[in-house]
Every structure is written in structure tokens, then in C-alpha cells.
Amino acid sequence: MLTKRLQMAADLIAPGRPVADIGADHGKLAVWLVKNGVSPSAVAADISENALKSALFNVKRADLEGEIEVAVSDGLAEIPPEKADEIVIAGMGGELIAEILSRCEYIKDPRKHLVLQPMTRSEDLRSFLLENRFYIEKEVTASEKSRVYIAMSARYSGEDNAYPVWYPYFGGLAANSGGGGKRFSEKQLLRLEKRYNSIKNIEKHGMEAEKLKNIIYTYRKDMNI
């Protein structure tokens, strides 16, 4: 059984396509996807052999060594494109996910589907995707205890994206979306307002303060809150 956070990511995977799980850790996502017939094959990849010990153990225990490859790879660097139609990068900061994506050219193909689950700095990841002509198709949430996790489904469109100034911070999880989306948005707004109030009277942070003020005002206006 997957955690709610990983199940959220698994539910975004398109069936019948090879999947690469980058930063696979224990490899449970790849095992679940193949064992449940969602993915015909998978690569569970991480930065070092030591990081993949648990993944290798879980793949062997599930008797899926023929379907799941456990590979050492710095991001997608060692993953050939034919093994990665579905690409999952979960459990990392948004800035790190963006950095990993920036080093891979073959993801700029509309046939490649990205499932991204940033633990922090989701605004950095959304900004990267939009600025590099990726389209965020869907965003979902999952709650575990007091924390709300988010995941994004995205693919390359090659088209410029027009979006409101607040979008990188709130994405498709508008304040009136209900459930986890509402909780996530409320926390984001509180975080931005707290940061703004702490720097608004500090001259060296003047530009940042003006940017935050505009984001907060525009978001509240657009969401009617």
C-alpha cells in the first residue's frame, strides 16, 4: 500500500506506458505501478547505489526484476527516452525538480508526461514549467495528518503561457477549490502575507515587497477574498 502522497502521484500516471521514477528511494511507487498493471515496465532511479538499496530489495521481494530496472542516475541523465514516457519526480523541493528537468532535452516532447510532486517551493517549479513552455494540465492534493501535499500533471506544449501574477504560487489550487486545495491556498497566502509584513518597511527588500504586495492584492481580488 502506498502513502496518500505517493498514491496521489500514482493516480496521475497514464496506463500502458513505461515509467521512470526519479529519486525513487524505496522503489515502492514503481513496484505498485507494475504490480497493479498500470505500467508495463519501470525504472527506479536514484543518485547512488546506497540510495537504491531499499528499492532493489523491494523489487526483488516483489519478483519484478524483469519488469523494473533499478538504476543509478543523476536526475534523468542516465535514463534513455524510450524507458520514460511517464516521468515521476516526487519528494523533492520544487527548485531541485526544476533543475533536474532543465538538464533533460527529451522532455520537450508532448508525448512525454510529467508527474511532479514538490515538497517545497512549488512556485519555483511552476515558474520553470511555464517559462519553458510546459502546460500544467492538472493539480491535485492529498492530506496526511496536518500536511497538504500537491502533485502536478504537465507536458511540453511549445506555446507561451499567459497566467496571472499569482499563478506560480497558487497554481490550479484556487482558494475556492475546496478540500486540500483550499487548505494549501490558505497556507500559501498566509506565508506570503507574513513575508510581506516582515520586509515591507526594509528598504533593501523594496522590490520583493512590491512584488509580494501585487501578488497578494491580485490574488485576493481575483478570488474575491
Side-chain angles (χ1 to χ4, degrees):
M1 180 180 293
L2 298 175
T3 63
K4 290 181 179 179
R5 177 179 70 84
L6 286 180
Q7 188 64 58
M8 169 182 62
D11 290 343
L12 290 174
I13 297 293
R17 289 155 55 86
V19 62
D21 182 11
I22 307 303
D25 192 19
H26 41 57
K28 290 182 179 179
L29 178 60
V31 169
W32 188 94
L33 289 168
V34 173
K35 191 173 182 179
N36 286 276
V38 178
S39 306
S41 63
V43 179
D46 219 316
I47 192 69
S48 68
E49 289 184 6
N50 188 57
L52 286 166
K53 286 181 179 178
S54 293
L56 186 58
F57 173 80
N58 285 324
V59 170
K60 287 182 176 180
R61 184 172 65 174
D63 195 25
L64 290 172
E65 292 172 277
E67 291 80 22
I68 301 176
E69 177 184 351
V70 178
V72 175
S73 181
D74 183 2
L76 286 154
E78 303 302 323
I79 311 301
E82 64 271 16
K83 293 186 178 182
D85 286 342
E86 299 288 307
I87 298 167
V88 183
I89 310 180
M92 305 180 197
E95 69 276 29
L96 178 55
I97 296 176
E99 196 271 331
I100 289 171
L101 294 175
S102 73
R103 293 188 277 114
C104 182
E105 281 300 313
Y106 69 72
I107 62 168
K108 291 183 178 179
D109 179 341
R111 294 170 295 183
K112 301 298 183 184
H113 177 220
L114 308 178
V115 175
L116 311 172
Q117 193 273 301
M119 300 290 277
T120 58
R121 305 288 300 183
S122 60
E123 60 269 23
D124 289 353
L125 180 54
R126 289 193 196 90
S127 293
F128 170 84
L129 291 171
L130 296 169
E131 289 167 6
N132 287 276
R133 298 182 174 182
F134 287 82
Y135 173 61
I136 301 174
E137 302 171 320
K138 184 178 183 180
E139 292 196 47
V140 294
T141 64
S143 298
E144 288 183 15
K145 298 180 180 179
S146 61
R147 181 156 186 178
V148 177
Y149 297 96
I150 68 170
M152 307 173 190
S153 170
R155 69 179 72 240
Y156 185 72
S157 69
E159 299 178 358
D160 290 326
N161 298 279
Y163 53 90
V165 66
W166 49 261
Y167 188 86
Y169 292 86
F170 299 91
L173 304 171
N176 60 355
S177 62
K182 183 176 181 180
R183 285 179 59 199
F184 173 83
S185 298
E186 287 173 344
K187 287 186 175 182
Q188 276 287 73
L189 183 59
L190 184 63
R191 180 171 74 89
L192 294 180
E193 290 179 331
K194 184 176 180 180
R195 174 62 179 170
Y196 170 70
N197 287 327
S198 71
I199 65 171
K200 63 182 180 182
N201 295 319
I202 302 175
E203 185 176 351
K204 69 177 182 179
H205 293 301
M207 290 182 64
E208 181 187 357
E210 280 300 310
K211 178 183 175 181
L212 288 174
K213 181 179 179 181
N214 186 35
I215 290 169
I216 293 165
Y217 170 80
T218 306
Y219 180 74
R220 283 189 168 279
K221 180 176 176 291
D222 289 352
M223 296 295 111
N224 195 29
I225 55 175

